[in-house]
Amino acid sequence: MSKDIRIKRGLDIKLVGVAEKTTTKIALSSVYAVKPEDFHGIVPKLVAKEGAEVKAGETLFYSKSDERILFPSPVSGKVVEVIRGARRKVLTIKIAADASQVHTDFGVVDVAKMSEQEVKNHLFTSGCWPFIKQRPYDVVANPNQAPKAIFISGYASAPLAADLDYTLAGKEAELQAAINAVSKLTEGKVHLSVGANSNSVLSKLTGVELHKVSGPHPSGNVSTQIANIDPINKGEVVWVVTPQDLVVIGELLLTGKYNAERTIALTGSQFSKPQYVTAIAGAAIEDITKDNLNTDNTRIISGNVLSGSQVTEEGFIGFYDNQITAIPEGDDYEFFGWNKPIFNKISTSRAFTFSWLSPNKKYDLNTNTNGEHRAFVVTGSYENVFPLDIYPMQLLKAFMYKDLDEMEALGGYEVAPEDFALTEFICVSKQPHQKIIREGLDLMRQELG
Amino acid sequence: MSLKQNLHNLKEKYKGTKMAPAFNAIHTFLYLPNEVTHGGTHIKAADDLKRTMNIVIMALVPCLLFGMFNAGYQHYAAIDGSLRTDVLANFFTWDNLWIGIIKVLPLVIVSYGVGLGVEFIFAIIKGHEVEEGYLVTGMLVPLIVPIDTPLWMLAVAVVFGVVIGKEVFGGTGMNILNPALTIRAFLFFAYPTWMSGDKVWVYDAVKRTGTEDAISGETILGSYAQNNDVVYSTWDMFMGFIPGSVGETSTLLILLGAAFLIFTKIGSWRIIVSTFIGAAVMGLIFNGIVNADIITESSKFYGLMNTDWWQHLIIGGLAFGAVFMATDPVTASQTNKGKWIYGFLIGFISIMIRVFNPAYPEGVFLAILLMNVFAPTIDHYVVQGNVKKRLKRTKVKTA
């Protein structure tokens, strides 16, 4: 049984540097890192101090607000450094990997015989709970609230996104095991979406409600799918898991090992050979991109160009990311850049910009803002790329002036920062939409719970 | 060292000083800034506010050029009526353009000079960047005033309009009323004799008043309001060979501008279309009243009520208002549904005021200013509709 979701409003941003479908296995990095900032809203309590030996899957820290939520080490090795920022905030925990990896054994389990609580406990102790995120607020799921449904987006529509059909191939057993487990966590349905024309292993899974998605980005964003399938209302919670994380959960259930290895897409014009690699979460960027990356004036992004986070070559790939993007920095002036005809940039308007003439052309965009920050002036353009039944500008403004009633009424429960990536991309006033949404959601979470 | 490098060094030198906004305004005029994204999306679309505003200015240029020729044409035609027999041959002449240059260009220069001056002063005092809103306002203002408007009057009005109409609200993007129309309204209420009547629309008419060679240039609306016969053909009205504010007479060029704005996706087609619909509906209602013999020829409203509904669309400032004024995204309704209502009411009320206003037979700018005030209310109810839908969903779920 499948239901079709067709998205009309949106924008596909076609960039140079699509990953070629070959996978290279990257040798083990010497250093891995876990960044508590990847888990938004979590206050970490350190367990593994500097110098401690850890196994893969062993706890590094836990959440101060809920001690059951553990955060594991992706590899076995020695905690070499804990980097702290202002007010001793933990920024990065670095682990020097052992040459031969040792995994904590969490035991092979039979999901069919487990109760909801047993599944939960198993995910807690194995450190797999952080893979489950929740809406509203787009944070690690609160295990005390019952979700009305669980959503999995098996369709990535973001620019240059890793092709999930390719990266998940051959993982049926793990995925099915994980689906069996997470479906115990909700009274409602497990909704799984795949691309309308895809040949995904996900469409063969049982125990889920399958949806076929088509249309431009953000059709692959899970919020878009939730809004179409079963929108979130006040007081309701849904949980969200990504398919690549399901694979880790599945492997845990089947083998008892926490193995954070995943297929990562190297994309963008600054890679000499955009392709796929397999690497363990938290690996050093340097090791993954070795001999492949043009580092001269390059922006390296863990994630996609719309909602990923900037990292340096010395940095590490984010916990949830399955993509590294590298594009040129645009830190140069452009003579009369504001009024001459433009052929090499994307625009949704036709104001002497010509990307509408060649919809299939691939662009090599850089990080220049193409203008300065201004007050909101132009109206009606966000709606064309924003498929949710929400007034995006009104919601943004409510988030800016922090009127909780309006934030709630206008749809604050239904959005995540990434949903505002396209409106931010096309914003003539160059406003930081995702930052506004993130801060607004944090405020709502703090005030409304 | 190149100009680019020099300017970059100067920017670094002025950074954080009071003069930085003024310098940046000039710098970013020449060069797109070297700013890169920090967090959020790492790439940005090509448009910025300057590009957006620039498109509107381009759409206005044909109206400005036409207005300059028309300035001369109306002047000479008022002196020598025979010129009206072969308009095209007598319109695009150097003599006509020369009058345009000496009468219209100063209006443009004063508008931009004074307006940008105020903007720069506010930017320096308040320490924000010079925003682009005035680029369009500065071009609109000379196009919507009578040609004989004294320059000092314009300057005073511009200062009032920019300060009271915009800066007190926080600058571009924050204002409630359309700044160009605020300037127009100030002129209208402060110096009414210079904004209406039959003397101000044609260059030199004021100066010659009471002399032997007095010239008169009544606008079409003026004639109708007096129940006089109109001497211009529909062709003249549509092409714009008629007296009126500098840039608003040629419906043809305004529609070309509209097509350009809609094609570039800068102007809202919803507002433009719905304004014309609203005006047509009101026109039809008045035509119906006349046809039903409710109003007779003796009524002072007869002339304008009896005007064919479609004529209302091409005379006066309606087309210009619909295309360039009502569509101002800051002061218009911001929701797509709201834009339909907003535009419709502007058209509807424009024609209503046009017919019933005894003092001054034009109502477009008043209608737009009125709807500027109500735009947030319209949006409020449109957004509330969305909120209600969301609330209803909850009830169904829990019932």
Side-chain angles (χ1 to χ4, degrees), chain A residues 333-334 336 338 347 349, chain B residues 8 29-30 32 47 51 390:
Chain A
Y333 300 93
E334 193 178 336
F336 271 133
W338 60 280
S347 166
S349 84
Chain B
H8 176 77
F29 179 81
L30 285 173
L32 196 68
D47 315 78
R51 178 169 291 271
R390 194 163 279 114

Side-chain angles (χ1 to χ4, degrees), chain B residues 299-321:
Chain B
S299 164
K300 60 178 175 181
F301 300 127
Y302 182 80
L304 277 163
M305 275 204 183
N306 194 35
T307 308
D308 288 331
W309 62 270
W310 52 267
Q311 250 187 18
H312 275 302
L313 308 184
I314 58 173
I315 57 177
L318 184 86
F320 194 87

Side-chain angles (χ1 to χ4, degrees), chain B residues 319-331:
Chain B
F320 194 87
V323 173
F324 294 112
M325 296 291 182
T327 51
D328 169 16
V330 175
T331 55

Side-chain angles (χ1 to χ4, degrees), chain A residues 50-316:
Chain A
E50 261 176 49
E53 295 279 347
V54 290
K55 291 180 189 170
E58 204 173 318
T59 306
L60 291 178
F61 59 93
Y62 61 87
S63 165
K64 198 176 175 185
S65 58
D66 192 331
E67 295 184 4
R68 294 173 297 173
I69 302 177
L70 310 175
F71 295 82
S73 168
V75 290
S76 69
K78 187 176 175 187
V79 178
V80 284
E81 194 181 2
V82 176
I83 300 173
R84 288 174 186 269
R87 292 202 264 163
R88 297 196 32 86
K89 184 180 173 187
V90 180
L91 297 180
T92 313
I93 301 159
K94 284 190 184 175
I95 304 136
D98 293 336
S100 63
Q101 288 291 300
V102 188
H103 290 262
T104 315
D105 187 11
F106 294 104
V108 180
V109 291
D110 183 4
V111 174
K113 289 180 190 151
M114 290 166 85
S115 69
E116 181 198 342
Q117 198 51 51
E118 284 169 333
V119 173
K120 264 190 190 173
N121 288 340
H122 195 63
L123 294 177
F124 286 140
T125 48
S126 60
C128 283
W129 189 261
F131 288 130
I132 301 171
K133 293 176 93 177
Q134 70 163 45
R135 300 288 158 87
Y137 312 135
D138 190 34
V139 290
V140 172
N142 176 358
N144 300 323
Q145 280 174 309
K148 71 165 179 173
I150 292 176
F151 285 85
I152 301 152
S153 171
Y155 177 59
S157 58
L160 297 176
D163 184 348
L164 292 173
D165 294 0
Y166 177 74
T167 60
L168 298 177
K171 303 283 186 192
E172 289 93 333
E174 286 89 349
L175 287 165
Q176 187 64 59
I179 294 277
N180 294 346
V182 296
S183 58
K184 297 233 168 186
L185 301 178
T186 177
E187 301 272 291
K189 288 174 176 161
V190 177
H191 296 278
L192 175 69
S193 318
V194 294
N197 305 315
S198 78
N199 182 24
S200 173
V201 297
L202 292 165
S203 52
K204 296 176 193 125
L205 302 181
T206 57
V208 294
E209 179 121 330
L210 192 71
H211 304 270
K212 294 203 164 167
V213 192
S214 56
H217 185 63
S219 56
N221 276 10
V222 74
S223 306
T224 312
Q225 297 165 5
I226 297 171
N228 271 278
I229 296 165
D230 188 4
I232 306 163
N233 303 302
K234 186 180 178 178
E236 292 174 343
V237 174
V238 302
W239 287 354
V240 167
V241 201
T242 65
Q244 65 267 23
D245 294 338
L246 281 178
V247 172
V248 180
I249 296 174
E251 191 171 344
L252 169 85
L253 299 166
L254 295 175
T255 65
K257 277 201 281 186
Y258 175 91
N259 179 11
E261 188 180 78
R262 56 183 55 168
T263 308
I264 290 163
L266 305 180
T267 58
S269 62
Q270 297 297 86
F271 279 107
S272 50
K273 198 166 168 278
Q275 56 160 345
Y276 290 88
V277 297
T278 53
I280 297 172
I285 299 286
E286 229 169 359
D287 295 322
I288 300 175
T289 61
K290 204 180 287 170
D291 304 329
N292 194 356
L293 184 67
N294 171 16
T295 54
D296 186 28
N297 208 21
T298 297
R299 169 78 57 98
I300 307 172
I301 301 153
S302 176
N304 66 52
V305 284
L306 289 183
S307 52
S309 49
Q310 183 177 357
V311 290
T312 59
E313 216 196 340
E314 296 78 41
F316 303 88

Side-chain angles (χ1 to χ4, degrees), chain A residues 13 15 148 159 230-234 236 299 301 304-310 327 329-342 345-353 356 365-380 383-384 389-391 393-394 397 408-411 414 420-422 424-432 434, chain B residues 3-5 7-9 11-12 24-25 27-55 58 129-132 135 170-174 260 262-266 268 270 327-330 332-339 379-380 382-391 393-394 397-398:
Chain A
I13 299 172
L15 299 179
K148 71 165 179 173
D230 188 4
I232 306 163
N233 303 302
K234 186 180 178 178
E236 292 174 343
R299 169 78 57 98
I301 301 153
N304 66 52
V305 284
L306 289 183
S307 52
S309 49
Q310 183 177 357
I327 54 172
E329 284 283 8
D331 56 346
D332 196 11
Y333 300 93
E334 193 178 336
F335 189 62
F336 271 133
W338 60 280
N339 67 0
K340 67 183 180 193
I342 285 187
K345 292 172 187 171
I346 296 173
S347 166
T348 50
S349 84
R350 299 187 186 125
F352 277 28
T353 56
W356 55 277
L365 298 187
N366 62 33
T367 61
N368 193 287
T369 51
N370 298 320
E372 295 170 295
H373 182 267
R374 291 286 184 264
F376 283 116
V377 170
V378 172
T379 62
E383 284 79 356
N384 295 330
D389 184 21
I390 282 173
Y391 285 98
M393 187 188 252
Q394 280 70 19
K397 286 185 177 173
E408 183 170 61
L410 291 173
E414 296 178 49
F420 281 81
L422 275 179
E424 181 172 337
F425 172 73
I426 66 158
C427 184
V428 168
S429 302
K430 313 296 174 188
Q431 293 266 0
Q434 294 187 87
Chain B
L3 176 66
K4 186 165 94 171
Q5 194 57 42
L7 285 170
H8 176 77
N9 293 345
K11 181 176 115 178
E12 295 301 316
N24 286 350
H27 189 195
T28 57
F29 179 81
L30 285 173
Y31 283 99
L32 196 68
N34 65 341
E35 260 171 61
V36 293
T37 51
H38 298 287
T41 60
H42 297 271
I43 52 177
K44 293 270 190 186
D47 315 78
D48 67 346
L49 203 53
K50 278 197 182 66
R51 178 169 291 271
T52 309
M53 295 294 179
N54 193 28
I55 294 293
M58 283 186 211
E129 294 296 321
V130 178
E131 304 210 354
E132 288 79 9
L135 293 180
T172 302
M174 314 288 187
F260 182 61
I262 292 171
F263 174 76
T264 53
K265 300 192 180 181
I266 300 298
S268 165
R270 290 181 179 86
T327 51
D328 169 16
V330 175
S333 271
Q334 304 187 344
T335 55
N336 285 343
K337 258 186 223 161
K339 281 175 180 166
D379 280 337
H380 174 78
V382 171
V383 171
Q384 283 306 307
N386 179 277
V387 169
K388 283 215 184 81
K389 196 155 73 183
R390 194 163 279 114
L391 282 176
R393 216 168 58 193
T394 324
K397 283 277 144 43
T398 51

